[in-house]
Amino acid sequence: MWLSRRTHMRIVHVVGARPNLMKLAPVYRAIASFPGIEQVVVHTGQHYDFNMSDVFFRQLGTGAPDINLQVGSASHAKQTAEVMMRFETVVLERRPELVLVYGDVNSTVAAALVCAKLGVPVGHVEAGLRSFDRSMPEELNRLVTDQLADFLFTPSEDGDRNLEREGIPKRKIHLVGNVMIDTLIRMLPACESHLPSDVPSRFALVTLHRPSNVDDLAWLKGLLHTLENISSDLTILFPVHPRTKQRMNDIGLNGASSRLRLMEPQPYLAFLALQQRAAVVITDSGGIQEETTYLQIPCLTVRENTERPITVDMGTNILVGRDSERMRSEVEMILAGHRKAGQVPRLWDGHAAERIAQIVAKL
Ligand code: UD1
């Protein structure tokens, strides 16, 4: 009888920041269904607050990470360098056959660079997204990671086109669909019981954390003022990211009122329950643009561009940019019942991670 071609393979997954955790969960689970593959989860510690990290591991059922590099917060160069130094030791000790990195955060590019220099194959989950805005740290992370990766797993056709334009050989590109939507589909039935108490029947849900919105303090002040105005028509629930909280403290604004309610960052299931019920979501997050498109909830994105154009072309997303008037008028339209209709993109079907696992299991 033939022995299987490889009886043992070690895959190391690298995650660091909140949005990575929803992407890791389905891929880890799908690979676990193949025998002979050992999986090691490395958390870089880029995010470390309980409600930015641990609660997600608990809710998503991934178990605690095997290794935590505890790099914490620092400047981009220092944080990236710390991940590189600490992760290099892990790769040398564990000698994986493949390292999987996720999304576009500093931990992603740092790990990819370490592997490329050590000659260890890298797979990039959520490859090919481009905002074409190099002032965004994430865009630099995406560009470099995709150049270094050996397997590029894309969520939609626009990702394939971007990669081909950048000279990535077609054989490296695998259109698999959206792993974040895998998690959403799996967790949706469980989220209703996690809805925070005291949620009004109609509300807007707001998240803001991009440097372009929260590090420009004059703009942030204006943005909070606009939200306050909107809240006279519609209660706003605003889970505040730690970066945003710091900036709001810096300018002595906590922005809170009875109709503009500030909250701690929400666990995955509570946030999903809130999204599902929101009249409109106002955000600068990448993942939330995708989740609202899947849920068919109107989304106003406070950015001039998006690396996820499919959510605008096909989904419920509208880019309002840095235009407070536009934001206000779009909210009015939505409240008057004029919502943008959307469709769910192809392969956002709950099975993207299985397609990734099929590919890596054959290595
Ligand atoms: C990072 C990612 C961003 C992603 C976001 C999701 C990069 C370049 N940015 O941005 O793409 O959308 O995560 O949240 O990788 N902090 C805490 N507790 C934490 C983590 C951070 O208090 O657990 C504070 C720190 O003071 C830190 C600041 O938040 O300086 C920003 O954290 P950082 O990881 O540098 O970037 P994010 O803004 O979270």
Side-chain angles (χ1 to χ4, degrees):
M1 192 178 149
W2 288 96
L3 287 174
S4 66
R5 195 157 59 89
R6 191 192 286 277
T7 53
H8 187 81
M9 166 163 61
R10 183 174 293 142
I11 294 179
V12 168
H13 303 261
V14 182
V15 289
R18 183 171 60 177
N20 293 160
L21 310 179
M22 297 73 121
K23 296 166 195 167
L24 162 73
V27 178
Y28 186 92
R29 188 171 299 103
I31 293 176
S33 68
F34 287 86
I37 304 180
E38 182 196 341
Q39 302 192 75
V40 178
V41 174
V42 177
H43 192 319
T44 64
Q46 176 174 345
H47 282 175
Y48 43 84
D49 285 356
F50 177 81
N51 57 14
M52 294 295 284
S53 180
D54 302 33
V55 69
F56 288 83
F57 278 94
R58 285 193 193 177
Q59 290 198 339
L60 298 171
T62 350
D66 299 292
I67 298 170
N68 193 322
L69 303 178
Q70 298 190 317
V71 298
S73 303
S75 71
H76 283 261
K78 191 157 191 300
Q79 189 175 58
T80 308
E82 283 292 345
V83 174
M84 286 185 70
M85 289 192 293
R86 298 180 195 196
F87 184 59
E88 183 181 51
T89 311
V90 175
V91 177
L92 291 173
E93 275 170 18
R94 302 283 180 131
R95 301 254 160 224
E97 273 74 25
L98 178 69
V99 171
L100 288 176
V101 298
Y102 296 83
D104 55 17
V105 304
N106 287 344
S107 302
T108 310
V109 68
L113 201 44
V114 167
C115 294
K117 297 217 174 204
L118 292 174
V120 174
V122 180
H124 183 202
V125 178
E126 200 183 82
L129 300 185
R130 295 291 181 271
S131 65
F132 304 101
D133 174 1
R134 291 198 181 190
S135 71
M136 286 181 76
E138 294 81 2
E139 182 74 354
L140 303 176
N141 295 344
R142 291 180 206 115
L143 281 160
V144 175
T145 305
D146 284 339
Q147 281 299 324
L148 299 176
D150 303 279
F151 299 88
L152 295 107
F153 300 112
T154 56
S156 46
E157 282 92 351
D158 53 297
D160 295 37
R161 287 194 295 274
N162 292 334
L163 294 173
E164 285 173 34
R165 205 181 310 114
E166 289 167 19
I168 309 273
K170 263 190 170 156
R171 65 183 155 75
K172 290 187 176 183
I173 304 170
H174 305 273
L175 176 60
V176 293
N178 191 322
V179 293
M180 202 152 190
I181 300 301
D182 288 5
T183 294
L184 184 152
I185 291 171
R186 192 172 74 87
M187 303 300 272
L188 208 48
C191 77
E192 198 56 19
S193 61
H194 290 254
L195 188 72
S197 55
D198 201 19
V199 166
S201 58
R202 211 162 67 137
F203 62 90
L205 181 63
V206 172
T207 80
L208 297 166
H209 74 279
R210 295 274 161 215
S212 58
N213 281 323
V214 306
D215 290 357
D216 176 345
L217 299 185
W219 167 247
L220 177 62
K221 249 185 197 171
L223 199 48
L224 292 171
H225 184 65
T226 305
L227 293 176
E228 237 169 65
N229 281 346
I230 291 174
S231 75
S232 60
D233 297 324
L234 182 64
T235 301
I236 292 183
L237 306 184
F238 183 3
V240 185
H241 185 284
R243 171 192 280 278
T244 312
K245 191 174 178 182
Q246 279 174 12
R247 299 298 177 267
M248 287 167 73
N249 288 341
D250 290 346
I251 52 178
L253 278 181
N254 70 11
S257 68
S258 60
R259 299 189 47 101
L260 172 55
R261 296 196 205 160
L262 304 186
M263 310 161 83
E264 288 299 313
Q266 293 295 298
Y268 182 76
L269 286 167
F271 193 77
L272 192 52
L274 287 170
Q275 280 194 81
Q276 209 185 5
R277 286 185 171 223
V280 55
V281 176
I282 300 173
T283 191
D284 57 12
S285 150
I288 293 170
Q289 296 172 50
E290 296 179 340
E291 290 171 341
T292 47
T293 276
Y294 184 85
L295 296 169
Q296 315 256 302
I297 300 291
C299 178
L300 304 179
T301 297
V302 192
R303 286 175 45 188
E304 302 291 344
N305 51 53
T306 176
E307 63 288 340
R308 291 159 163 94
I310 199 164
T311 62
V312 176
D313 299 342
M314 279 189 80
T316 52
N317 190 17
I318 296 173
L319 293 183
V320 294
R322 275 177 161 244
D323 183 343
S324 304
E325 272 313 308
R326 172 98 196 268
M327 187 196 295
R328 228 186 316 231
S329 67
E330 291 292 351
V331 171
E332 274 166 25
M333 297 264 283
I334 291 162
L335 291 180
H338 306 295
R339 294 162 54 131
K340 183 184 175 196
Q343 286 173 309
V344 177
R346 192 169 83 80
L347 301 179
W348 292 22
D349 59 358
H351 301 289
E354 291 159 32
R355 292 187 273 269
I356 293 174
Q358 293 281 354
I359 295 163
V360 305
K362 284 193 207 127
L363 293 180

